[in-house]
Amino acid sequence: MYGVEPGDIFLADCPARLAVEVIADKWAVVVLWGLNDHARRHSELIDLIGGISKKVLTQTLRRLQTNGLVTRTDHGGVPPRVEYELTALGRTLMGPIRMLTEWAEQNGDAVLAAQEAG
Amino acid sequence: MYGVEPGDIFLADCPARLAVEVIADKWAVVVLWGLNDHARRHSELIDLIGGISKKVLTQTLRRLQTNGLVTRTDHGGVPPRVEYELTALGRTLMGPIRMLTEWAEQNGDAVLAAQEAG
DNA sequence: CGGTATCCTATAGGATACTG
DNA sequence: CAGTATCCTATAGGATACCG
């Protein structure tokens, strides 16, 4: 009914739901974006992003790791040096994310206006 | 430092953060997707989506409304008839969302494999 | 430096029942 | 039909302190 077809986002086990699951938290997209150019260290991301705590950054990175989007490399030594980097899979996600951020740059004002009006 | 430039997602008030704010909940993208083709009624969305409660659907629709992405039209009468439809602004967001769902269709298996491995 | 550990609060979201 | 109302729980996420 309603013309639902195979592959539709509505099916509970549909892959499209998975995309939502992956990016639908407060920091995932921001962190991925921070890894766009090249590998970065934990403290680098903390400074770069701003407003995220160490705990939450670690949590977010772990989730991204679990989803196969980011690798964690411990170079050892003292002081510690750990680098996070996009996987090949993670890089494929940057295209859609870039679209989203471009949309936001172009339409952010309209959203804010709607928020203030409503 | 770290080559942060104006417009970067990292600035706290950057528009790109707004995109995350708009789509980063469990149901927003799914509901928008449900309105892709044409206006739909509340009960239609309930049946179509599956797994969402009336309360949560209403909440999600209200948020989308507040963000200027969806309109709510009460046609009155008994029984009630209320239709939700994408605004022009909402339609501009469907491009990026389509990219996301396409990414998920192509890469969903890889994410699942990573989840099971990790 | 790169984390844990601990504690806390707000809120998202689910279940169920009721209403105009 | 399209919601509210109510209650509930899990968890996301923030603050702070400590550790190897």
Side-chain angles (χ1 to χ4, degrees), chain B residues 25-27 54-56 63 80:
Chain B
D25 74 87
K26 189 170 177 180
W27 296 109
K54 290 196 287 184
K55 192 190 90 174
V56 172
R63 256 195 305 265

Side-chain angles (χ1 to χ4, degrees), chain A residues 39-42 72-84:
Chain A
R40 290 206 194 258
R41 304 176 64 174
H42 189 272
R72 176 186 185 276
T73 309
D74 189 341
H75 295 279
V78 176
R81 191 168 137 256
V82 178
E83 285 192 320
Y84 295 93

